[in-house]
Amino acid sequence: MNKALIVSSSEKDVMIINQLLVNEGFSRIITASCGSEARRLIRTAPDISLAAVVSPLSDEFGQELSLMLAGEYQTGVILICENDISEDIAENVFSSGICVVSRPISSDTFIEAIHFAAAQYDEHAGMKKESSEVLSKIEEIRLINRAKATLMKYLKFTEPQAHRYIEKQAMNKRQSRRETALKILADYDSK
């Protein structure tokens, strides 16, 4: 996690937040001065792991942008707003994993928020990887089942025989069951 986005209409806030992020190990930091600019940037650089949104922005409050970043892009988000509304905002966005920090921003509080947002990002990244692995495994199972069905059709194998054949071929040829299934499908489906 080393790419961050700062969205703020205030150059002073950008400078302060930028320095805190650099101190926490962020090497690539991009900035936007309004919500629409941030949306354009995130489309071209979707691998942003942390976003600090200082509300209000010049074209919107910032809550909608924060929800979009946390939801669509699984970015860890810190939403900074005035002290008198921070509790209400926190209630609205807490379920999305957004960390709300009230002004004035203390370094310690902001660093804790960075760690919280980083944990949110890591959790989303872990779930995304896990989901990808599960989908890959499902695809492999479907492929192997198609190969079994092909063997059953052309060689009149039973399902256990087809399964054993694929396992044995994979072992003998020192290849994965996936590779074996692809070879079977290529050999027999072209007939």
Side-chain angles (χ1 to χ4, degrees):
M1 178 170 109
N2 63 0
K3 190 169 187 181
L5 168 67
I6 302 171
V7 187
S8 176
S9 302
S10 163
E11 280 298 316
K12 181 181 174 189
D13 287 339
V14 169
M15 288 175 28
I16 293 168
I17 294 169
N18 187 61
Q19 188 57 51
L20 290 168
L21 290 171
V22 167
N23 292 344
E24 289 300 308
F26 285 87
S27 57
R28 298 179 299 161
I29 301 170
I30 56 176
T31 61
S33 60
C34 63
S36 58
E37 182 182 358
R39 283 178 174 79
R40 280 192 302 275
L41 285 171
I42 195 80
R43 277 189 219 104
T44 59
D47 60 336
I48 293 171
S49 53
L50 178 90
V53 179
V54 183
S55 72
L57 301 171
S58 60
D59 59 348
E60 66 179 271
F61 180 74
Q63 181 176 333
E64 300 82 13
L65 173 64
S66 297
L67 290 167
M68 188 258 317
L69 289 167
E72 285 181 44
Y73 296 96
Q74 286 83 40
T75 302
V77 180
I78 302 169
L79 178 59
I80 302 161
C81 58
E82 295 301 325
N83 190 31
D84 57 337
I85 60 170
S86 63
E87 285 184 32
D88 292 334
I89 299 299
E91 285 179 25
N92 292 338
V93 299
F94 181 76
S95 64
S96 298
I98 297 171
C99 182
V100 177
V101 176
S102 61
R103 290 177 174 242
I105 307 166
S106 79
S107 306
D108 293 338
T109 303
F110 192 76
I111 290 169
E112 285 179 27
I114 290 172
H115 293 212
F116 175 82
Q120 287 296 113
Y121 176 77
D122 290 343
E123 183 177 320
H124 285 296
M127 287 190 306
K128 194 174 187 179
K129 181 181 177 213
E130 196 174 292
S131 174
S132 175
E133 290 170 356
V134 167
L135 289 174
S136 176
K137 189 67 177 169
I138 289 170
E139 181 58 35
E140 181 180 329
I141 290 168
R142 285 182 180 156
L143 185 67
I144 291 168
N145 284 340
R146 281 187 26 229
K148 285 183 200 177
T150 300
L151 291 171
M152 291 163 62
K153 176 180 177 183
Y154 290 105
L155 300 180
K156 306 298 183 215
F157 283 178
T158 64
E159 196 274 337
Q161 288 172 324
H163 181 79
R164 177 155 166 63
Y165 179 82
I166 291 171
E167 293 283 327
K168 190 167 174 87
Q169 288 292 82
M171 185 178 66
N172 290 344
K173 294 183 178 183
R174 292 188 174 105
Q175 61 188 20
S176 70
R177 294 182 318 153
R178 177 187 203 90
E179 292 168 323
T180 302
L182 286 170
K183 173 103 174 76
I184 290 167
L185 291 172
D187 289 348
Y188 289 98
D189 275 350
S190 61
K191 291 182 180 182

